[in-house]
């Protein structure tokens, strides 16, 4: 391959670093009015009185919308609606921070000032935002994925499963409970919508991971044909899941603009990021393991409980990774959910496996330590040659190579299993390992590749650039087939007028959209050959249209996973990505402050299209994992029923000082079944396994096993 597999720099890099990339809030729209929200201050109940008179009189106010005068929306499906509980339709309050009024004014300042003048009285109901307090009310999840799986049988009761640990002559038993924290996405680019009506047609500039799904949801809510809605998003400044579904500001900007007959722009503030578009809910995971004295698993059970909102049954599948990881003869995963009075949780990089691999891989480390077995050896002892739950073969899997190559590159043999035994000056040094896995979501996609005047090539598809490098990767796909440099190819995305593509979620875009671009480019190549009557040569591109008196020559391509599973898993094989994550931590011996010294991830993901953007994806994921492990925690304020920390000063994400040497290694692999180029989706895998590797390293450094993320120094003292 000439272009696929090459570490090309981002084709949109110059636009981004010079500030010329146009993000939603930067789109110049004329005659625009500005929206600002007043928010509910209680988590549960109803608005009994809303006082807007003073706000109405404030300078610059055009109109104020509340539940009393907001036009009725039609019901929508969720997902992609972030909350099927649509905004300002009734007096009901289901979470603190829910919008109760939208002020539209001549300037942002006027709107924000008037919103501050609005007050409300409420009927307040009893509430609970902490799911651990209402665990008794947990019920089995029944969402789109199979919530509970079981193969084989094993009686933990025979081992005295009521105890935390038990040991018989032949069996080691352990049961441990792990917790991950509520977290928020916090992309640098706050969510924004600019709604422009042209007669009966809506043009929405919007921060979204899915222009097509957003169009459908808005059309449903507004009761108009999807063809009347156009959604445009040229660049997204980080999303991580919070711009996947459609949230209140997106519906309300469209409604308000239609009512006042003027474009309306809404940009969320940083604190609104903590209530408007979901969060990653906390999880409680119970791991129950039985193994023989050599570490061979006899049974493995992973039970998850997570909170959801009062109006949706969002499920965080916090036990899902355990279904595919180890060859246990008895294997069971369960998922339960509990209603709490918070906004709906939503996927956040990396959903499901990102939580479950903390529980599973911490427990495996505990088992390895107690049986005095090397953690990598324990994992190889229980290596799954086929999917242990479905029994299907894997489409491809090189996790063994990840462990072995990663261990060698990282210097695993320098590790001493005895906690606290590696000391460097004033620091305890610890080394840990954890496995990673992610489901390979695949979705049908369409694309068009066009030969234009002077041999220019245009790629078009309605996918989105959420920071992953999709402009570059799609250019590489067309460049590979048409044998021209990727830099010469123009890529147009992020517009519902273009050929339909899926939401940029679940690391699915390169597989689906990339394969569709390959298909379109190959079809264009054949069309060019037919037109010219000669074998394709890139040298002839520049004059071929003129010779035939044509303005352009376009070819439509598509790709579909071609199976029954709506999430794109093939019927006959199990398709997942894998990785082995190695972490070294240093813990200050006087202050017990944990810091990560280095991380290496070795990954099994099929063919890599662009090693440079791929490395950015994986190291970005590692930083995300450092946040999950050490800093990120949305704290519940139980008196008022909201999240307490709502800014980046009190919600801590890793900064440069927290980010050490990060390395990503991709083992040689091609997965013919995954996509047209033999590669799988990678981005979210980078965030998986990192927290467990760090927690395991912290144990190795200090002998303290922290089972409750994040690992803050108070838990180590
Ligand atoms: Mo990703 S959390 O599926 O946007």
């Amino acid at each position: 391959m000439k272009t696929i597999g090459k570490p090309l720099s981002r084709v949109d890099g110059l636009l981004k670093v010079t500030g010329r990339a146009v993000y939603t809030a930067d789109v110049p729209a004329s005659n625009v009015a500005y929206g600002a929200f007043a928010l509910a201050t209680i988590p549960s109940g109803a608005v009994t009185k809303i006082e807007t008179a003073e706000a109405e009189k404030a300078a610059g106010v055009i109109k104020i919308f509340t539940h009393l005068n907001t036009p009725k929306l039609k019901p929508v499906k969720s997902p992609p609606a972030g909350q099927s509980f649509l905004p300002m339709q009734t007096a009901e309050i289901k979470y603190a921070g829910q919008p109760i009024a939208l002020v539209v004014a001549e300037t942002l300042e006027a709107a924000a000032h008037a919103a501050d003048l609005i007050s409300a009285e409420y009927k307040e109901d009893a509430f609970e935002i902490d799911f651990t307090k209402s665990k008794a009310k947990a019920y089995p999840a029944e969402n789109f994925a199979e919530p509970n799986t079981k193969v084989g049988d094993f009686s933990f009761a025979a081992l005295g499963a009521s105890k935390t640990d038990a040991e018989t002559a032949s069996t080691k038993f352990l049961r441990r409970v792990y917790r991950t924290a509520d977290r928020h996405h916090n992309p640098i680019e706050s969510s924004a919508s600019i709604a422009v009506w042209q007669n009966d047609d809506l043009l929405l500039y919007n921060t979204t991971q899915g222009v097509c799904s957003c169009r459908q949801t808005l059309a449903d809510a507004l009761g108009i044909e999807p063809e009347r809605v156009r959604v445009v998003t040229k660049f997204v400044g980080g999303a991580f899941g919070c711009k996947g579904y459609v949230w209140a500001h997106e519906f309300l900007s469209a409604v308000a603009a239609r009512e006042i007959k003027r474009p309306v722009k809404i940009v969320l503030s940083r604190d609104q990021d903590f209530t408007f578009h979901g969060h990653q809910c906390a999880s409680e995971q119970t791991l129950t393991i039985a193994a023989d004295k050599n570490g061979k698993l006899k049974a493995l059970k992973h039970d998850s409980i997570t909170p959801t909102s009062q109006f949706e049954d969002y499920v965080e599948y916090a036990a899902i990774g355990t279904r595919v990881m180890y060859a246990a003869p008895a294997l069971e995963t369960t998922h339960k959910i509990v209603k709490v009075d918070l906004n709906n949780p939503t996927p956040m990089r990396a959903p499901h496996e990102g939580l479950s691999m903390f529980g599973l891989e911490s427990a495996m480390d505990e088992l390895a330590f107690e049986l005095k077995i090397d953690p990598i050896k324990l994992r190889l002892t229980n290596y799954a040659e086929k999917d242990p739950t479905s029994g299907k073969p894997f489409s491809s899997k090189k996790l063994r190579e990840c462990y072995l190559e990663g261990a060698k590159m990282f210097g695993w043999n320098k590790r001493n299993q005895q906690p606290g035994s590696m000391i460097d000056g004033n620091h305890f040094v610890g080394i840990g390992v954890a496995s990673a896995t992610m489901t390979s979501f695949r979705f049908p996609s369409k694309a068009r590749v066009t030969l234009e005047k002077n041999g220019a090539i245009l790629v078009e598809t309605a996918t989105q650039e959420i920071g992953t490098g999709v402009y570059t990767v799609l250019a590489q796909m067309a460049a590979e087939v048409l044998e021209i440099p990727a830099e010469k190819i123009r890529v147009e995305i992020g517009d519902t007028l273009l050929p339909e593509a899926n939401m940029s979620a679940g690391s699915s875009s390169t597989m689906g959209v990339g394969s569709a671009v390959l298909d379109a480019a190959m079809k264009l190549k054949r069309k060019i050959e037919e037109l010219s009557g000669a074998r394709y040569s890139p040298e002839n591109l520049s004059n071929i249209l003129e010779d035939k008196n044509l303005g352009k020559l376009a070819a439509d391509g598509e790709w579909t996973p071609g199976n029954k599973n709506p999430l794109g898993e093939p019927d006959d094989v199990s398709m997942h990505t894998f990785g082995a994550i190695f972490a070294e931590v240093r813990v200050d011996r006087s202050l017990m402050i944990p810091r990560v010294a280095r991380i290496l991830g070795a990954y099994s993901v099929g063919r890599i299209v662009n090693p440079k953007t791929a490395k950015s994806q994986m190291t970005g994921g590692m930083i995300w994992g450092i946040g999950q492990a050490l800093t990120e925690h949305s704290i519940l304020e139980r008196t008022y029923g909201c999240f307490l920390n709502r800014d980046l000063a009190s919600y801590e994400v890793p900064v440069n000082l927290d980010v050490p040497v990060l390395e990503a290694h991709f083992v040689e692999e091609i997965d013919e079944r995954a996509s047209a180029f033999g590669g799988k989706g990678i981005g979210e895998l980078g965030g998986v396994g990192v927290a467990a590797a760090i927690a395991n390293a912290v144990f190795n450094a200090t002998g303290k096993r922290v089972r409750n993320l994040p690992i803050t120094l108070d838990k180590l003292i």
Side-chain angles (χ1 to χ4, degrees), residues 185 209 239-242 244 347-351 441 466 504-507 684:
H185 308 73
Q209 290 170 247
F240 318 121
C242 75
M348 175 169 136
R349 184 191 194 182
F441 296 109
I466 59 171
S504 302
S507 307
E684 305 210 80

Side-chain angles (χ1 to χ4, degrees), residues 423-428 589:
I423 288 174
D424 179 9
N426 196 37
H427 289 93
F428 293 116
R589 287 168 72 192

Side-chain angles (χ1 to χ4, degrees), residues 268-592:
L268 297 187
S269 60
R270 180 58 64 188
D271 65 318
Q272 289 169 353
D273 278 354
F274 285 79
T275 52
F276 259 78
H277 42 53
H279 55 279
Q280 181 175 83
C281 58
S283 71
E284 182 180 291
Q285 307 172 36
T286 305
L287 268 293
T288 314
I289 300 179
D292 72 18
K293 295 298 167 72
N294 298 317
K296 185 97 186 127
L297 293 175
K298 294 183 171 186
L300 175 57
K301 189 169 189 288
H302 194 160
D303 300 300
S304 153
I305 305 180
T306 54
T308 189
S309 66
Q310 293 292 355
F311 44 90
E312 294 279 343
D313 275 0
Y314 177 85
V315 186
E316 192 67 38
Y317 289 94
I320 203 167
T322 298
R323 293 177 183 179
V324 297
M325 278 311 297
Y326 297 114
L331 185 60
E332 186 176 353
T333 62
T334 69
H335 295 94
K336 285 184 174 175
I337 48 177
V338 188
K339 296 275 183 205
V340 296
D341 298 288
L342 289 168
N343 194 3
N344 209 30
T346 201
M348 175 169 136
R349 184 191 194 182
H352 316 306
E353 283 93 337
L355 286 73
S356 61
M357 294 309 280
F358 171 66
L360 175 62
E361 291 298 285
S362 295
M364 289 298 278
D365 198 66
E366 298 208 41
L367 181 67
F369 180 74
E370 295 193 16
L371 292 176
K372 297 190 170 36
I373 298 174
D374 176 82
I376 292 179
K377 187 169 170 224
L378 178 71
R379 286 163 173 87
L380 292 174
T381 299
N382 294 292
Y383 195 79
E385 301 290 352
K386 59 183 170 69
D387 185 317
T389 299
S390 69
K392 292 180 200 169
F394 289 112
S395 58
S396 75
K397 176 185 176 183
K398 296 225 168 169
L399 177 57
R400 183 178 281 111
E401 289 81 348
C402 294
Y403 292 129
L404 299 177
E405 291 173 27
K408 201 162 165 207
M409 292 173 74
F410 195 74
W412 178 256
N413 58 5
K414 292 196 203 85
R415 177 180 182 267
N416 185 329
Q417 178 116 329
Q418 186 54 42
S421 61
M422 297 189 287
I423 288 174
D424 179 9
N426 196 37
H427 289 93
F428 293 116
V429 180
I431 288 178
V433 70
S435 318
T437 186
M438 197 77 204
T439 305
S440 291
F441 296 109
R442 304 184 306 161
F443 302 105
S445 305
K446 293 179 180 165
R448 183 165 53 232
V449 179
T450 305
L451 172 64
E452 297 181 317
K453 277 214 183 78
N454 304 321
I457 296 288
L458 171 66
V459 171
E460 295 171 292
T461 173
T463 189
Q464 303 71 215
E465 165 59 54
I466 59 171
T468 54
V470 81
Y471 278 108
T472 311
V473 162
L474 296 186
Q476 281 179 268
M477 296 289 176
E480 181 69 42
V481 176
L482 299 171
E483 301 165 43
I484 56 173
E487 296 79 359
K488 294 231 158 115
I489 291 171
R490 214 169 89 239
V491 179
E492 286 291 344
I493 60 170
D495 188 331
T496 47
L497 294 180
L498 302 172
E500 188 164 350
N502 202 72
M503 199 187 281
S504 302
S507 307
S508 64
S509 297
T510 303
M511 282 186 288
V513 185
S515 296
V517 172
L518 276 178
D519 183 56
M522 285 188 280
K523 284 178 174 150
L524 178 66
K525 197 174 186 176
R526 280 201 288 280
K527 277 192 166 182
I528 292 169
E529 287 184 337
E530 279 163 25
L531 188 68
S532 65
R535 224 188 108 104
Y536 176 84
S537 161
E539 275 84 58
N540 303 337
L541 277 182
S542 50
N543 41 30
I544 205 159
L545 291 176
E546 276 177 25
D547 288 355
K548 301 283 169 187
N549 242 335
L550 281 176
K552 63 178 180 179
L553 185 65
D556 289 309
E558 63 185 317
W559 185 84
T560 163
N563 45 47
K564 291 186 266 254
N565 185 321
L567 302 178
E569 181 162 74
D571 304 322
D572 56 334
V573 290
S574 174
M575 190 172 282
H576 302 264
T577 51
F578 295 95
I581 319 302
F582 299 81
E584 179 183 319
V585 302
R586 289 179 174 243
V587 181
D588 185 294
R589 287 168 72 192
S590 341
L591 302 170
M592 295 305 271

Side-chain angles (χ1 to χ4, degrees), residues 68-372:
L68 300 171
N69 66 344
T70 299
K72 291 291 169 261
L73 295 163
K74 300 219 161 39
V76 295
K77 281 200 287 279
S78 178
Q83 38 180 40
S84 56
F85 171 59
L86 293 173
M88 298 187 337
Q89 300 292 293
T90 69
E92 277 179 297
I93 299 298
K94 293 187 185 290
Y95 59 94
Q98 181 185 318
I100 56 168
L102 171 67
V103 178
V104 183
E106 294 293 342
T107 65
L108 176 61
E109 292 74 11
H113 174 66
D116 276 348
L117 299 175
I118 294 173
S119 62
E121 289 172 18
Y122 302 95
K123 171 178 84 71
E124 294 187 42
D125 291 341
F127 65 88
E128 183 56 75
I129 58 169
D130 181 353
F131 81 105
T132 65
K133 299 275 193 296
S134 6
K135 267 192 299 188
K137 293 189 202 145
Y139 56 96
E142 282 180 20
N143 215 324
F144 60 92
E146 183 60 48
N148 304 307
T149 57
K150 187 173 182 184
V151 292
D153 219 346
F154 189 86
S155 174
F156 287 111
L159 282 168
S162 57
K163 297 194 206 115
T164 308
D165 281 294
E167 196 133 15
T168 66
S170 64
T171 308
K172 171 82 190 166
F173 167 86
L174 63 87
R175 171 172 289 168
R176 298 284 186 272
V177 178
Y178 302 90
R179 293 192 170 84
T180 61
D182 287 299
R183 297 159 72 207
H184 278 83
H185 308 73
N186 278 301
I188 291 291
E189 181 206 26
S190 287
S191 283
S193 303
I194 303 174
V196 185
W197 286 88
Q198 293 150 330
N199 301 319
D200 293 334
D201 290 3
L202 171 65
L203 167 60
L204 189 77
Y205 299 100
N206 195 24
T207 50
T208 179
Q209 290 170 247
V211 289
C212 296
S213 49
C214 178
R215 169 182 61 181
Q216 184 65 50
T217 301
L218 285 175
D220 289 348
L222 297 166
I224 59 178
E225 290 304 309
E227 294 71 38
R228 309 222 77 101
V229 180
R230 179 180 172 197
V231 180
V232 174
T233 186
K234 288 296 170 185
F235 288 95
V236 178
F240 318 121
C242 75
K243 296 166 184 170
Y245 299 169
V246 180
W247 304 92
H249 60 283
E250 295 164 272
F251 296 109
L252 291 174
S253 58
V255 167
R258 186 159 66 176
E259 289 301 299
I260 69 161
K261 299 185 170 38
R262 240 176 102 169
V264 168
K265 173 173 177 172
I266 299 177
V267 183
L268 297 187
S269 60
R270 180 58 64 188
D271 65 318
Q272 289 169 353
D273 278 354
F274 285 79
T275 52
F276 259 78
H277 42 53
H279 55 279
Q280 181 175 83
C281 58
S283 71
E284 182 180 291
Q285 307 172 36
T286 305
L287 268 293
T288 314
I289 300 179
D292 72 18
K293 295 298 167 72
N294 298 317
K296 185 97 186 127
L297 293 175
K298 294 183 171 186
L300 175 57
K301 189 169 189 288
H302 194 160
D303 300 300
S304 153
I305 305 180
T306 54
T308 189
S309 66
Q310 293 292 355
F311 44 90
E312 294 279 343
D313 275 0
Y314 177 85
V315 186
E316 192 67 38
Y317 289 94
I320 203 167
T322 298
R323 293 177 183 179
V324 297
M325 278 311 297
Y326 297 114
L331 185 60
E332 186 176 353
T333 62
T334 69
H335 295 94
K336 285 184 174 175
I337 48 177
V338 188
K339 296 275 183 205
V340 296
D341 298 288
L342 289 168
N343 194 3
N344 209 30
T346 201
M348 175 169 136
R349 184 191 194 182
H352 316 306
E353 283 93 337
L355 286 73
S356 61
M357 294 309 280
F358 171 66
L360 175 62
E361 291 298 285
S362 295
M364 289 298 278
D365 198 66
E366 298 208 41
L367 181 67
F369 180 74
E370 295 193 16
L371 292 176
K372 297 190 170 36

